[in-house]
Amino acid sequence: MEGYNHREIEEKWQEKWALDGIYKVPDTEAGKNNFYQLVEFSYPSGNLHTGHWYAFAVPDIFARYKRMQGLNVLYPMGFDAFGLPAENAAIKNGGDPAEWTERQMEAMRTQLRSMGASFDWSREVVTCAPEYYKWTQWMFNQFLKNDLVYRDITMVNWCPKDQTILANEQVVDGKCERCGTEVVQSEQQQWMLRITKYADRLVDDLDKLDWPEEIKSAQRNWIGRSEGSEITFKLSTDDTVSVFTTRADTLFGVTYIVFAPEHPLLEILPIENRDEVNAYVVATKKKQELERQQSKEKTGVQLKGITAINPANGEEVPVWIADYVLSGYGTGAVMGVPQHDERDREFAEKMGLAIVDRPLVDKKEITEKVGGKLVKTYRLRDWGISRQRYWGCPIPIVYDPEGKAHAVPDEHLPWLLPTDVDHTPDGTAPLARSKELLERTEKIFGAGWRPEVETMDTFVDSSWYFYRYLDNKNEATFASPEKMDTWMPVDLYMGGAEHTTMHLLYSRFWTKALHDLGLVKDSEAYKVRRNRGLILGPDGNKMSKSKGNVINPDEYVERLGADTVRMYLAFMGPYGVTVNYPWDPNGVVGVRRFLERVWKLKAKIDVEKKVCKTDPLVHKTIKGVGEDIDEFKFNTAIAKMMILLNALEKEEKIVLGSYKALLKLLSPFAPHIAEELWHELDETESIHLASWPTYNTDFLIEETVTLAVQVNGKVRGEITIAPDIAKEDIEAAALALPRVIAIVAGGQPKKIIVVPKKVVNIVF
Ligand code: ANZ
């Protein structure tokens, strides 16, 4: 082929690779260790954007590199196919979410193939497929049997736009994580997963993981373990109230007690100003937790007629309610110590409460003395998974005529999502409108039985998908223990920073729960985690249609080729650190030119030529590129290849082996062009099945030696030269030393003796 034409080669190789099944991964391969590289699978949003390329095509470099290093690499792909994006899009377009999702997945598969990524498609996982969600439901049943699932009335976050409950993790700055609508609080029954049972292990086990510190500390903060004391105060009514404090040492400085407005005691206390208190309770309901915590303007109401007794000194203090105390944390009641706590000080100053300076005491001792106990408390809440939407995994529960919940027995799984449903959200669960679901329930369980009509949060689906890749066709279990043994835990998990306290926390919990039930071996699923940043628009802003700065990768692929797009994204900066990079249209073209030059360089190959002065650089580049890839510094790896290309271009002729080495180094980055050029060298096997080039350390030894220079046996200086230069050149260098010139002073030396690598003696 003449010039480099990506259009002629990219599709051709993609088809050939698929046909030959070169990325199909066996569960074990003789003499090879397994390497499981996972990337977060995507929602079938329908169109692959630059972010997807960055998320999937750049890690593909690593997968290919590991494969060439002789590992049996699993790099699978699938779809997180249930959820609101598909449902909303389907509603908008007047279609059925299932059909819509199927169409989007098909389009995305084609686009994903266009990346030239080395996914093993035979292991594809689609979470909305009944073969998959059967196991999601089965696991739910296991958790239910083991008291990890329960139904409860709780205050929930309600998104008025998406018409569904959201988990705490899905509320960002008081807004729906998905649509940005202000979230409101409402009291509802929902199915809960007991993630709090794992709070300690979720914190402690972080220490074992090779994860970015930023994720670990974000998870620690989210779980918010706090060690302190629970101390009980007697009230004037003879009731008691417990407070949680991390500062028992300040007990003598307590000047009031304050309850969260939701505190259950409020209902039974004989409060004199009941109306005022009730009005405050109602007003609090309208406020977001975050707003309550951050508000500088403290509000509250004193409970008239009620006082509390400090157990340390018998002092009587007033009792208040205030919204800066949260009902879901600690005991929902606080001892106010304005002298030592900033929030309490603000409150005391505003309400005219006493601020007293009392000596601090030993925390542990005082706790014991007043009959309190040392406790741990957590910010983490149980995970509410009920969603009042259609497009999700049906919760496999049915209610008997008395309203008691029962698990749908395993033999009826998958408990299918009905299709006779109007999906338009109206605040009630669409499944309640399915005749078929009701009939199915009554037919199996009896008249008067009712189906659960809620579906599961999609984060449930993605909590275990990595197990299913290992055995995606197994009908007897979610994944066979043998297969899990050969692959788990995941060796490397790459993904986005947005998953820190959601997916990454949920799936850690899920794994621990499965582990405790004896269903999986490891209690942590991902050994190493690396987060990537975002690709921004050329203007440095997050890409968005409204800003008009969206880069459509397909256009670039068409114009410059998939290899260029992949390689450019890898060239933007180090991967695996959360840095965002702006797309630079000139940068892409620069990468394209580099590939064109690699193409042209082929003309310089001289098969007769065996050595070249670029040989040391070739070996240095092999070493450097490998080391950079190991550290996810794909950008500097590319820079090293560019330096090598420059040097090779300067030669009249180049050694075939050097060109082959360059192609191999290039192949993970630009798999199509590397494959094409490889075959033009009359290679018959795919370059992607070749092994990573090795380097010869002899070439890497520092290329100089230092010799002492003597005149008539006396040391007069030294010279540093290449080890293999000719004797005449060594003599000339020695005679050129200023001190030697001064002594010889224009005369002719009688004799010059060179002891290689040691000394030059000028006899004069
Ligand atoms: C008295 C005190 C004195 C406190 C002092 C702090 C400093 P962390 O570390 O975040 O766990 N607190 C307890 N329950 C609360 C609730 N439901 N809503 C709001 N605040 C609550 O914070 C624990 C401290 O936060 C506790 O210790 C309590 O105030 C307050 F100089 O008790 B402290």
Side-chain angles (χ1 to χ4, degrees), residues 206-446:
L206 284 170
D207 296 339
K208 308 193 269 207
L209 302 176
D210 177 1
W211 285 26
E213 209 35 60
E214 69 205 54
I215 307 188
K216 293 192 190 182
S217 65
Q219 290 207 348
R220 281 189 202 105
N221 286 340
W222 184 263
I223 297 165
R225 178 164 68 191
S226 180
E227 293 177 38
S229 313
E230 227 173 78
I231 294 176
T232 303
F233 286 66
K234 243 189 164 157
L235 299 181
S236 48
T237 55
D238 272 352
D239 298 289
T240 58
V241 63
S242 292
V243 301
F244 170 70
T245 177
T246 46
R247 294 289 309 273
D249 59 331
T250 66
L251 187 57
F252 282 89
V254 172
T255 59
Y256 64 95
I257 293 291
V258 56
F259 295 175
E262 297 90 348
H263 200 288
L265 259 184
L266 284 186
E267 291 185 10
I268 56 165
L269 291 177
I271 302 163
E272 289 167 9
N273 52 337
R274 173 62 69 188
D275 290 350
E276 194 190 356
V277 166
N278 285 356
Y280 186 77
V281 172
V282 171
T284 304
K285 282 204 174 122
K286 297 203 181 91
K287 288 197 189 170
Q288 290 299 314
E289 201 164 278
L290 199 74
E291 185 188 340
R292 287 170 56 170
Q293 275 172 300
Q294 290 176 347
S295 169
K296 282 269 154 212
E297 202 44 54
K298 296 274 174 297
T299 60
V301 176
Q302 187 180 356
L303 306 185
K304 299 261 169 71
I306 313 285
T307 54
I309 311 293
N310 185 333
N313 56 13
E315 267 177 24
E316 195 172 356
V317 294
V319 179
W320 285 67
I321 55 169
D323 66 11
Y324 80 95
V325 179
L326 305 174
S327 63
Y329 189 64
T331 60
V334 172
M335 60 186 216
V337 190
Q339 177 68 20
H340 292 287
D341 184 272
E342 201 190 322
R343 295 161 301 175
D344 294 349
R345 175 174 282 270
E346 285 167 12
F347 188 73
E349 280 174 357
K350 172 115 189 258
M351 305 302 171
L353 293 159
I355 304 174
V356 296
D357 189 6
R358 298 276 170 78
L360 299 178
V361 290
D362 185 288
K363 267 201 220 190
K364 194 164 170 274
E365 238 172 58
I366 192 74
T367 301
E368 281 163 9
K369 199 165 156 222
V370 301
K373 54 181 184 204
L374 298 174
V375 293
K376 283 193 242 171
T377 190
Y378 308 85
R379 229 165 270 287
L380 184 72
R381 296 281 147 265
D382 275 339
W383 174 16
I385 59 154
S386 292
R387 297 292 177 271
Q388 293 67 33
R389 296 297 299 255
Y390 171 69
W391 191 233
C393 173
I395 295 178
I397 290 283
V398 284
Y399 297 91
D400 64 24
E402 277 76 55
K404 191 168 174 287
H406 301 262
V408 172
D410 291 351
E411 68 261 30
H412 295 298
L413 304 185
W415 186 243
L416 290 174
L417 185 66
T419 52
D420 60 334
V421 173
D422 173 8
H423 322 112
T424 324
D426 66 356
T428 61
L431 263 56
R433 290 169 239 161
S434 165
K435 231 176 112 208
E436 183 273 318
L437 183 62
L438 183 61
E439 281 169 9
R440 188 200 314 165
T441 305
E442 292 208 313
K443 190 167 158 220
I444 297 175
F445 301 97

Side-chain angles (χ1 to χ4, degrees), residues 104 166 272 282 323 458 464 471 495 515 603 667:
Q104 305 317 313
L166 299 171
E272 289 167 9
V282 171
D323 66 11
T458 47
W464 70 276
D471 203 4
H515 170 80
S667 65

Side-chain angles (χ1 to χ4, degrees), residues 81-84 86-87 97-98 101 128 389-393 417 455-456 458:
F82 269 138
L84 279 181
E87 187 170 349
T101 302
C128 69
R389 296 297 299 255
Y390 171 69
W391 191 233
C393 173
L417 185 66
T455 53
M456 295 187 209
T458 47

